[in-house]
Amino acid sequence: MAKRKTIALALGSGGARGYAHIGVIEEVLARGYDIRAISGCSMGALVGGIYAAGQLDAYRDWVCKLDYFDVLRLVDVTWSPMGAIRARRIMEELEALIGDTRIEDLPIPLTTVATDLIAQKEVWFQSGNLLEAIRASIAVPGVITPVQRDRKMLVDGGLMNPLPITPLVAAHVDLVLAVNATAHSPRNQTLEQMLPPAEAAEEEAREAALQAQEGGFGDWLRGVRRSAERMFSAEREATQPPELAEPPPSSTSAVSPLGGVPLPPGGSLAPPFTALSEAPETEPATSTGATLNDVLNQAVKEGREDADPREAQGRQSEHRESRRLAEIEEGVDDDNSPEQAWGKLDMMMRSFDITQATLAKYKIAGYPPDILVEIPKTVCGAYEFHRAEGLIKLGRHLAAEALDRYEKGLDG
């Protein structure tokens, strides 16, 4: 019997595109490779850590069931100036899977990569609490609050090393496989365009079904945004003198990650954070007594109740027209228009993607892996976390192609 080839995996950052790592791991295992070491950054750290802890199947089952509303429910809005999301709810879900696991106790050596803003250098977690290591590695600057640890201000490792091949240089394995989830693409390739025809049809049908629910998530979220705006407007009118009730034209509001629900203009009321509890558990209430999280949770509930498939068909034409008018109002003439109504999160994430893609190219040039799987950054938005099933299939498909090329090269 032939000896199984040993392999080390470098799993890069990329937001929701990091779900493709799951498919890559599945294909590697299906071909009989023995995974001996993993290094990961951001979503790569999360997926790699979950796999090393033996809970990848359970995690896969969970994320493949998430829809628009589940994703929004996991958004834990905070008032901190350090980021819009605490990620507490996400970490609670992960804790239910892996508990109080320590990295040094894992059966597979694992390195997760974060960035220390103070020292301006990479931080490698190769021991200690796995959840804390994952939490530090996924803290996208300005979006997810940082982690303060041992006089370090820890954020997403993708800021300096989005594809951590370096930690695997000393691994005693037959080959290294790297997954770049922020790859440059010569053209804007969508997820559906990159999947095999049968799987692409399934993904299109799944997206169409979601869009049919209450006219699509974009329409619904615009309603949430307007409700929140009215709520905060009422609060300002109730607490400020008439001459100050309307903010000056130059004032801006911070926005939450999913579609621009505005946070109060100005600074934050949050005290300094520590470790994994950066923001207070209670949030400032409005004149109605509701916090922004209350508004989002209520909207999720109402959205689910309204998203009745039996009624969706009859509402589509009405929502299509209202969406069209809203897009014209916001500066989006059609799906192919280059003039898109980008929010602050869009600008931040697109900029972060470009930086990571460029850095990843240098990492690959400096430490070329034996096998490279590239996920174009255009396949989906970095925060389209409801698309797990299609992205996992894409990861497996691209891994199969890359492994085929490698194995044929050995045979030839």
Side-chain angles (χ1 to χ4, degrees):
M1 183 176 178
K3 181 183 176 182
R4 295 173 66 194
K5 278 189 173 292
T6 57
I7 191 171
L9 303 180
L11 308 178
S13 60
R17 294 183 297 271
Y19 282 142
H21 297 319
I22 299 174
V24 172
I25 292 173
E26 290 177 347
E27 184 63 23
V28 165
L29 294 175
R31 295 196 179 214
Y33 289 93
D34 183 10
I35 300 175
R36 291 289 183 87
I38 300 174
S39 68
C41 172
S42 198
M43 271 295 284
L46 191 157
V47 172
I50 292 291
Y51 170 72
Q55 295 298 322
L56 189 63
D57 289 343
Y59 178 74
R60 186 195 200 282
D61 292 343
W62 174 55
V63 297
C64 284
K65 294 175 183 175
L66 296 178
D67 62 17
Y68 292 137
F69 303 106
D70 294 317
V71 172
L72 190 62
R73 182 183 60 82
L74 291 170
V75 174
D76 189 20
V77 177
T78 179
W79 308 104
S80 170
M82 309 294 271
I85 301 177
R86 279 183 298 234
R88 175 176 53 84
R89 294 175 184 171
I90 297 168
M91 299 311 296
E92 286 173 354
E93 296 286 350
L94 297 182
E95 185 176 15
L97 284 176
I98 62 178
D100 189 23
T101 302
R102 297 190 65 80
I103 297 174
E104 60 267 31
D105 296 333
L106 295 171
I108 301 172
L110 173 73
T111 302
T112 71
V113 179
T115 301
D116 180 8
L117 288 179
I118 297 174
Q120 301 178 35
K121 65 179 183 180
E122 294 177 37
V123 176
W124 293 4
F125 286 85
Q126 296 176 319
S127 62
N129 184 272
L130 176 58
L131 277 174
E132 182 175 336
I134 291 172
R135 175 63 179 81
S137 190
I138 66 171
V140 180
V143 178
I144 297 178
T145 51
V147 171
Q148 188 175 19
R149 180 180 186 267
D150 300 331
R151 297 186 178 181
K152 297 181 178 71
M153 189 73 71
L154 300 173
V155 297
D156 196 313
L159 197 60
M160 296 192 72
N161 191 354
L163 188 56
I165 303 172
T166 321
L168 303 176
V169 170
H172 298 290
V173 292
D174 295 319
L175 66 151
V176 173
L177 183 152
V179 186
N180 179 12
T182 56
H184 281 301
S185 175
R187 56 192 178 89
N188 291 335
Q189 296 175 290
T190 66
L191 178 56
E192 291 83 359
Q193 289 171 340
M194 295 199 68
L195 286 170
E199 294 178 350
E202 291 177 2
E203 183 64 19
E204 289 174 356
R206 185 163 42 248
E207 282 295 292
L210 287 173
Q211 287 294 327
Q213 295 180 5
E214 193 58 22
F217 183 63
D219 290 342
W220 172 78
L221 192 53
R222 272 190 283 268
V224 175
R225 181 175 58 194
R226 292 180 185 122
S227 296
E229 287 171 346
R230 286 195 296 270
M231 184 181 73
F232 287 123
S233 295
E235 170 66 9
R236 284 195 298 267
E237 291 172 2
T239 58
Q240 295 181 351
E243 63 273 14
L244 298 179
E246 290 296 327
S250 60
S251 73
T252 58
S253 298
V255 295
S256 73
L258 284 173
V261 177
L263 303 180
S268 164
L269 299 179
F273 56 84
T274 57
L276 300 180
S277 55
E278 303 87 346
E281 291 302 314
T282 57
E283 300 177 24
T286 68
S287 58
T288 63
T291 67
L292 181 54
N293 270 317
D294 292 334
V295 172
L296 294 178
N297 289 332
Q298 181 61 28
V300 168
K301 179 181 177 182
E302 293 173 355
R304 285 195 183 281
E305 291 172 351
D306 290 343
D308 185 345
R310 294 171 299 180
E311 299 178 7
Q313 189 69 28
R315 292 196 301 260
Q316 283 191 56
S317 59
E318 176 185 344
H319 283 293
R320 192 177 297 114
E321 181 62 23
S322 64
R323 176 166 46 187
R324 173 68 176 165
L325 292 174
E327 287 174 348
I328 292 173
E329 178 185 340
E330 295 181 13
V332 182
D333 289 338
D334 56 59
D335 292 339
N336 298 317
S337 171
E339 297 183 9
Q340 299 180 15
W342 284 14
K344 290 182 180 178
L345 178 71
D346 298 305
M347 295 293 291
M348 184 182 301
M349 295 306 294
R350 293 291 182 98
S351 301
F352 198 46
D353 276 350
I354 293 170
T355 302
Q356 290 183 99
T358 303
L359 284 173
K361 288 176 67 176
Y362 286 112
K363 297 297 181 182
I364 293 166
Y367 298 93
D370 299 289
I371 302 174
L372 177 62
V373 177
E374 294 202 294
I375 315 296
K377 62 181 184 293
T378 59
V379 296
C380 75
Y383 46 91
E384 291 186 61
F385 288 98
H386 65 283
R387 307 197 71 179
E389 191 166 344
L391 289 162
I392 292 170
K393 288 179 179 178
L394 177 63
R396 185 153 191 172
H397 171 63
L398 295 179
E401 290 184 338
L403 287 166
D404 282 344
R405 289 192 296 268
Y406 174 78
E407 292 168 358
K408 288 177 181 177
L410 291 180
D411 293 340

